[in-house]
Amino acid sequence: MTETTATPLAHEEELSAHFDATIARDQRVEPRDWMPEAYRRTLVRQIAQHAHSEIIGMQPEGDWITKAPSLRRKSILFAKVQDEAGHGLYLYSAAETLGADRAELTEMLIEGRQKYSSIFNYPTPTFADVGVIGWFVDGAAICNQVPLCRCSYGPYARAMIRVCKEESFHQRQGYELLMTMMRGTEAQRRMVQEAVDRWWWPSLMMFGPPDGDSPHSAKSMAWRIKRHSNDELRQRFVDMTVPQAEHLGVTLPDPELRWNEERGRHDFGTPDFEELKQVISGNGPCNAERVARRRSAHENGAWVREAAAAHAARHAGDRGKTTEVAA
Ligand SMILES: [Fe+2]
Ligand SMILES: [Fe+2]
């Protein structure tokens, strides 16, 4: 009979305590569980931005599908870009379990009301950029996303398991492409080095602003949505990438980069966070182009969505009839 005697406030306190205990035990929060409104909002924002990044991220490399230098490279790249579409799909579905509407999220993206990763606003002038994106950008995505497999929100954590397996393939294909080019001509080696020089700093910016300047981080860490700070993840990426660069035979464009014996980690320079701010606020080299292309793809796909909805409605009608007959 507690339901009739308890005040709504006491009930809410009980739910809130249950939620806190779930987080403290490192168990998962599931869609039907009670959760604080701010937790839900934070997750919707993060998952939506992640989904948008996967979908917008198809563009820089997608440009090279028709220009790939061989059938083998074309099929690898095609598979990779398709994987990114799949990642977007899982993530939009995860956002829907929190009550978000996918159509609305897309509207927010194309109207510039929701963000996506800054990295996809940089151009891909050569085929070496495809390799460097795989190596750096998918590599950075792995650093960011592996800890998300243990995120407190169940559907997001589970989506990340498969996503991370695929990101690992993406990173390898990028690195293998670069290895092949490095074994090629002098011009190919130069092309790889130039792409490395272009992508290194923007890749470090992918981890977001420095810890002291990252407003949402503390709360996300307390809720165990996020497990490591931006600077810690950036450090991991640098430590992982330096030996790979040596093996490949390229130089990372940072004069301050060196091994710190005492820390047992690399020291490195500070990315230009002013540039990051500019790119995030829409002033990067390709922001306008990326969003315009997403908008036109969305508009051109209207007939597909209408046809699918009509088919689903008809199918639902047919099912209704069958049930009636059966009854
Ligand atoms: Fe992805
Ligand atoms: Fe990827």
Side-chain angles (χ1 to χ4, degrees), residues 7 34 64 69 137 186 192 275 305:
T7 63
W34 182 92
W64 281 97
V137 177
E186 194 45 46
V192 173
E275 176 179 321
R305 291 189 297 278

Side-chain angles (χ1 to χ4, degrees), residues 52 55-56 58-59 89 92 96 101-113 289-307:
H52 298 331
I55 299 296
I56 295 278
M58 296 167 72
Q59 292 185 33
L89 214 64
Y92 284 122
E96 283 183 326
D101 179 73
R102 182 174 164 181
E104 244 169 60
L105 297 179
T106 301
E107 284 298 316
M108 287 204 267
L109 169 67
I110 59 183
E111 286 168 9
R113 288 187 286 133
E289 181 190 326
R290 301 289 185 240
V291 173
R293 193 145 161 207
R294 180 70 195 93
R295 176 189 290 277
S296 84
H298 184 65
E299 286 166 1
N300 291 336
W303 70 272
V304 180
R305 291 189 297 278
E306 279 160 26

Side-chain angles (χ1 to χ4, degrees), residues 54 84 87 138 163 167 170:
E54 301 285 355
E84 306 300 5
H87 298 174
D138 292 278
V163 167
E167 298 303 3
H170 297 169

Side-chain angles (χ1 to χ4, degrees), residues 231-256:
D231 288 333
E232 167 58 21
L233 292 167
R234 198 171 356 253
Q235 175 78 58
R236 285 183 184 195
F237 174 73
V238 172
D239 291 337
M240 172 180 90
T241 310
V242 169
Q244 295 170 347
E246 278 163 16
H247 183 68
L248 189 61
V250 294
T251 317
L252 298 173
D254 178 359
E256 292 175 53

